[in-house]
Amino acid sequence: MVLERGTRLLAGAVVVACAVLVGPSAPSGAPIGRPLPADAESDVVPNRVMTWNLCNPCEESNLDRAAEIATYAPQVIGLQEACARDVARIRDYLESVYGLVYHVEYGTVLRNWGRCGGAPWRPGAYGQAILSAAPMTDHVNVEYPDGGSEDRGYMAVTTRVGGRLVRVFNTHLAERRQEQVRADQTAVLAAAVARHDRAIVLGDFNAVPDAPELAPIWAVAADVDPECHPSPVGTCEPTTEWQSKFDYVFLRGMAPLNHRVQPSPYSDHSMLQTDLAST
């Protein structure tokens, strides 16, 4: 008994010594995000919106994607080429690591095992998603009659941006070299946008500003980049690695204060964001 008691005491002493040397450990499974830049936002910016194509099925870290978003902390984020599972993880990391709480709605257009994994008989959901710091209502998910080479659609919600209710759309149009398909898609989207006095349209349109298929959108809204118009008037800042402007934040009944195109190593698309005027 004396020997057994001495063995237990020795084992306990070793554990204590190790704890002193190693120090406290993080809870099992707790994520550790990278530090944000010194000028990163400390809380959600209520009049800021962002659009970002996640480059699916690019194998990128959702924790790093969350850090990219947390640096700018928009009120509303529209994501494209998004697996629902990835969006859920990004949202969780934004809250657990960076203290930013978002609601989420999904705009699934298909279930694809190759893009989003999952069980072969239940592949992951793929499409768009909207994160909003304010609650969202009146969520709709619309598939275009013709998606082109892959199902495509738009989603829409009503939420608050800058303290005002606004209808927010998020879309991803057909791939390049499918101009007529995109023309049909923008006609559907523009008709929905035109029903609202104030609207924000986020997305990857897979077309440059002077592409004829974007005419229906230009007729009802304007891009936040003042240099980007159907008729080129200046340097329209590209939003992709191949130096094309494909990503847009269109506004209807609202005005931008500024905009920023922020390249990211975690996608072949840049993050496009804008702060909106209060009037």
Side-chain angles (χ1 to χ4, degrees):
M1 291 180 63
V2 173
L3 179 61
E4 182 182 353
R5 181 173 181 273
T7 302
R8 291 201 304 269
L9 289 173
L10 177 61
V14 170
V15 170
V16 171
C18 289
V20 170
L21 291 173
V22 175
S25 60
S28 176
I32 301 175
R34 72 171 190 265
L36 299 183
D39 59 349
E41 300 293 343
S42 59
D43 202 353
V44 169
V45 181
N47 66 329
R48 180 170 295 170
V49 297
M50 172 192 286
T51 184
W52 194 19
N53 182 311
L54 292 183
C55 182
N56 181 277
C58 299
E59 298 297 330
E60 301 293 349
S61 162
N62 288 317
L63 188 54
D64 286 327
R65 288 166 167 168
E68 294 288 271
I69 293 171
T71 299
Y72 306 102
Q75 173 81 2
V76 169
I77 307 122
L79 300 174
Q80 305 88 41
E81 292 200 50
C83 293
R85 180 177 57 186
D86 289 334
V87 174
R89 289 174 177 169
I90 291 169
R91 179 195 179 205
D92 287 345
Y93 291 147
L94 284 167
E95 181 173 358
S96 63
V97 179
Y98 299 108
L100 301 175
V101 179
Y102 287 97
H103 304 268
V104 63
E105 294 287 358
Y106 297 98
T108 298
V109 294
L110 58 86
R111 292 186 175 273
N112 188 293
W113 185 86
R115 283 189 179 274
C116 297
W121 57 90
R122 192 183 180 190
Y126 170 82
Q128 288 76 246
I130 293 177
L131 299 177
S132 174
M136 292 175 277
T137 61
D138 304 318
H139 172 218
V140 298
N141 191 29
V142 177
E143 289 195 34
Y144 295 122
D146 182 1
S149 55
E150 181 179 80
D151 291 347
R152 295 291 164 93
Y154 75 82
M155 62 180 300
V157 301
T158 298
T159 189
R160 289 191 179 275
V161 179
R164 303 178 69 190
L165 286 175
V166 61
R167 193 67 171 162
V168 179
F169 295 81
N170 183 21
T171 192
H172 186 195
L173 299 190
E175 295 176 349
R176 286 174 288 178
R177 296 180 294 278
Q178 299 180 59
E179 291 84 356
Q180 185 54 53
V181 175
R182 289 197 298 274
D184 294 340
Q185 292 172 348
T186 56
V188 172
L189 178 61
V193 173
R195 291 195 287 267
H196 300 274
D197 294 332
R198 289 197 306 275
I200 301 170
V201 187
L202 311 170
D204 174 4
F205 285 72
N206 272 319
V208 295
D210 60 350
E213 62 265 31
L214 294 191
I217 298 296
W218 287 115
V220 298
D223 186 56
V224 296
D225 187 340
E227 301 295 333
C228 293
H229 296 277
S231 299
V233 294
T235 302
C236 187
E237 197 168 358
T239 63
T240 66
E241 287 184 350
W242 52 94
Q243 296 303 300
S244 293
K245 161 78 171 179
F246 277 7
D247 304 273
Y248 297 82
V249 176
F250 286 107
L251 301 179
R252 176 177 172 83
M254 309 177 76
L257 287 174
N258 53 58
H259 79 281
R260 180 203 303 243
V261 176
Q262 185 63 46
S264 169
Y266 306 106
S267 176
D268 55 356
H269 287 250
S270 299
M271 297 177 288
L272 172 61
Q273 59 179 297
T274 187
D275 294 342
L276 304 180
S278 58
T279 57

